[in-house]
Amino acid sequence: KSKRDLMLQELNENPPEPSAATKHFAEQESKKAEGMEAARSQIRQTSEVESLPIDYFTKQGEAEMEAKAKEARELSESHMPIGIAYFTKKAAEDKIVSEASLRQLSEQESSVATRHFAKIAAEKEAKATEAQAEEDDVMPAAIQHFTVADRAKKEKKRQSIAAMKENPPAMAAGQ
């Protein structure tokens, strides 16, 4: 065998000591792999989170705004004079009756083709709402996780502020 082959055989049998940088980066890589495996196992151990619909938070916000509007309306109606309340209620009833009579008059005066295409449009709209209801849009897990956590944190702050309003902390001496 040649001298070169002997040197290669010796290097394969007894490799040289790796450099400090190589050792450092190999150690970093192994720590990173261990951390990732620990995170994966932790995720596997957690229970399955129920998926929320894509418009869950929108509906929740709308319900909250509706409740606030209802509360404001009830407050204003409780302080409203009797005459104004009577005529406001009468105006709402008259508006409903006039819209119904206009709709009926429009249907009577419309052509057969207009009625036909209005019927088709109403059927399409009904099918679209059914399809949308059947379609199960699910919120992405990451968005759900962080949004739910943020909402919980904000709700906790809101509750602590409400508690402080009901039972304020003691004033400092000298105030």
Side-chain angles (χ1 to χ4, degrees):
K1 288 187 175 180
S2 70
K3 189 176 184 181
R4 181 173 180 223
D5 290 338
L6 289 172
M7 285 177 62
L8 284 174
Q9 184 181 1
E10 185 180 327
L11 279 175
N12 285 336
E13 292 172 1
N14 300 323
E17 185 74 21
S19 68
T22 304
K23 287 180 183 178
H24 171 75
F25 289 119
E27 195 176 296
Q28 289 285 335
E29 189 67 30
S30 66
K31 284 182 182 177
K32 183 178 176 182
E34 288 174 9
M36 288 175 65
E37 189 56 39
R40 283 189 186 114
S41 66
Q42 184 180 12
I43 289 171
R44 288 182 193 124
Q45 291 173 356
T46 58
S47 62
E48 186 74 20
V49 177
E50 182 181 332
S51 295
L52 296 175
I54 193 79
D55 60 348
Y56 174 78
F57 295 111
T58 305
K59 288 180 179 178
Q60 196 176 35
E62 288 172 353
E64 187 176 312
M65 294 299 290
E66 190 176 306
K68 285 182 182 179
K70 183 179 179 185
E71 185 179 312
R73 190 178 334 103
E74 288 174 354
L75 179 65
S76 67
E77 287 174 356
S78 68
H79 295 302
M80 190 182 295
I82 296 171
I84 293 174
Y86 171 78
F87 284 108
T88 303
K89 183 177 177 184
K90 186 173 182 340
E93 291 170 356
D94 290 346
K95 183 178 178 183
I96 292 170
V97 168
S98 67
E99 286 176 356
S101 66
L102 280 173
R103 195 176 313 113
Q104 185 180 20
L105 180 63
S106 175
E107 288 175 2
Q108 287 175 354
E109 297 297 320
S110 63
S111 67
V112 175
T114 304
R115 285 189 218 133
H116 172 74
F117 288 115
K119 181 180 176 184
I120 290 174
E123 289 174 0
K124 280 184 181 178
E125 188 176 316
K127 286 180 183 178
T129 55
E130 286 177 15
Q132 190 176 23
E134 290 176 6
E135 200 175 281
D136 199 282
D137 280 343
V138 178
M139 186 180 303
I143 294 173
Q144 178 179 336
H145 172 76
F146 291 110
T147 307
V148 167
D150 183 56
R151 292 261 177 153
K153 190 168 87 173
K154 287 179 180 177
E155 184 61 30
K156 186 177 178 182
K157 282 183 183 179
R158 206 175 290 130
Q159 288 175 353
S160 69
I161 290 172
M164 290 178 89
K165 283 181 182 178
E166 292 174 10
N167 189 15
M171 296 286 284
Q175 285 191 0

